[in-house]
Amino acid sequence: MPHPQAGKLRGILTAINTPFHPDGRLALEYMPTLLDFQRAAGIDGVIVAGTNGEGTSLSVAERKQLLETVMAHRGDLLVVAGTGASAVTDALDLTLHAAEVGADAVLVLPPFFFKNPTDEGVAAYFRPLLEHVDIPLLLYNIPQYSAVRITDELMALLSDYPNLSGVKDSTGDWESSRHFIEHYAHLRIFTGSDRLLARSLRHKSAGGISGAANCFPEVIVAARTAWERGDEAGLDSAQRRIDALLDILHRYPPMATSKSVLAHRGLPRLSVRPPLVDLTPSQEEALLGELREAGFLPA
């Protein structure tokens, strides 16, 4: 039986950027503004300290502080905490904290340093989280970053845990996402690829977890709105608009790109943390020029 809170996990969730000052310090005073921007666009919720939030570049203490700040200003947004870590003790600590502060769910990377672990080894990492914390848990399938794939064998090893509530599939491979949606219909399956959003919605996924929604949430929300209205032509149109946006954004470093765009949409100027670097002035000028030409920003 699924976790009783898992049913609320649906819609478009933004893998929200973490605000940093240019010197790398957390700029948590700007988080309420970022959340307001998302809420005003109709976003359903946020992922905290995920990939787009540079979660692996944060200490455990910083991740807790970040989540507490989001919880204090969440309003009606769903909040899913990224709690994966290389050390299972850190992952358990972060997952316990997420439950304590009232997060709606956690999104957990597999341990990502040792390559080619066995499914049993990866299951041994997830079991303490599933056994000791009463919160819906989503597995995070992003092997191009973690080098560890969420397999059917792993799913079978964890299938007896009611806290196992879903998967975020960020492979960008439609066959992978379709497999999760069709074979685990009792779970909440999210696509982590904006290019696959329309197809995922049509196949009755739980929704999408979006990086591009950081800077253009209204573009992503348009697909969900069309789907909810049963507007098939509108959904196709929204997906084409998303694809055109991604064609531009993906030519530049992702997290730095979102933060540069936000600074030109009336939000604070934010930085990334090493090993990432901010866009150069020439990169930013080129990016903004492309977005204006395509009609995503005013001329």
Side-chain angles (χ1 to χ4, degrees), residues 241-283:
R241 192 68 171 150
I242 291 169
D243 292 346
L245 175 62
L246 297 178
D247 286 344
I248 297 171
L249 296 181
H250 288 178
R251 286 197 277 271
Y252 301 88
M255 281 62 95
T257 294
S258 293
K259 292 178 178 182
S260 284
V261 173
L262 287 171
H264 289 269
R265 299 200 73 189
L267 281 82
R269 169 72 65 174
L270 306 174
S271 290
V272 294
R273 179 178 275 186
L276 305 182
V277 295
D278 295 327
L279 297 190
T280 65
S282 62
Q283 283 178 316

Side-chain angles (χ1 to χ4, degrees), residues 7-30:
K8 69 173 73 171
L9 302 176
R10 57 169 297 280
I12 304 299
L13 311 182
T14 300
I16 198 161
N17 292 151
T18 297
F20 295 109
H21 291 290
D23 63 3
R25 291 179 297 115
L26 284 173
L28 296 180
E29 64 271 24
Y30 297 138

Side-chain angles (χ1 to χ4, degrees), residues 12-86:
I12 304 299
L13 311 182
T14 300
I16 198 161
N17 292 151
T18 297
F20 295 109
H21 291 290
D23 63 3
R25 291 179 297 115
L26 284 173
L28 296 180
E29 64 271 24
Y30 297 138
M31 184 54 76
T33 302
L34 296 179
L35 294 172
D36 288 345
F37 181 68
Q38 296 295 318
R39 191 181 297 109
I43 287 291
D44 297 296
V46 294
I47 307 293
V48 181
T51 301
N52 280 269
E54 301 173 68
T56 55
S57 296
L58 298 169
S59 69
V60 169
E62 286 176 325
R63 290 167 77 171
K64 290 181 179 181
Q65 187 181 10
L66 174 63
L67 179 59
E68 289 166 9
T69 301
V70 171
M71 295 302 298
H73 300 279
R74 66 182 294 185
D76 59 355
L77 292 170
L78 290 168
V79 176
V80 178
T83 62
S86 287

Side-chain angles (χ1 to χ4, degrees), residues 8-13 44-45 78 188 190 197 201 205-209 224 228:
K8 69 173 73 171
L9 302 176
R10 57 169 297 280
I12 304 299
L13 311 182
D44 297 296
L78 290 168
R188 313 304 286 175
F190 289 86
L197 182 56
L201 292 172
S205 71
I209 296 175
R224 184 210 64 201
E228 290 176 342

Side-chain angles (χ1 to χ4, degrees), residues 216 218 241 261 264-265 288-289 291-299:
F216 289 102
E218 72 280 7
R241 192 68 171 150
V261 173
H264 289 269
R265 299 200 73 189
L288 297 174
L291 290 171
R292 291 187 183 111
E293 184 177 353
F296 292 106
L297 291 176

Side-chain angles (χ1 to χ4, degrees), residues 195-218:
R195 291 193 189 273
L196 300 180
L197 182 56
R199 276 189 278 183
S200 294
L201 292 172
R202 286 185 169 119
H203 278 73
K204 299 183 180 180
S205 71
I209 296 175
S210 172
N214 275 288
C215 50
F216 289 102
E218 72 280 7

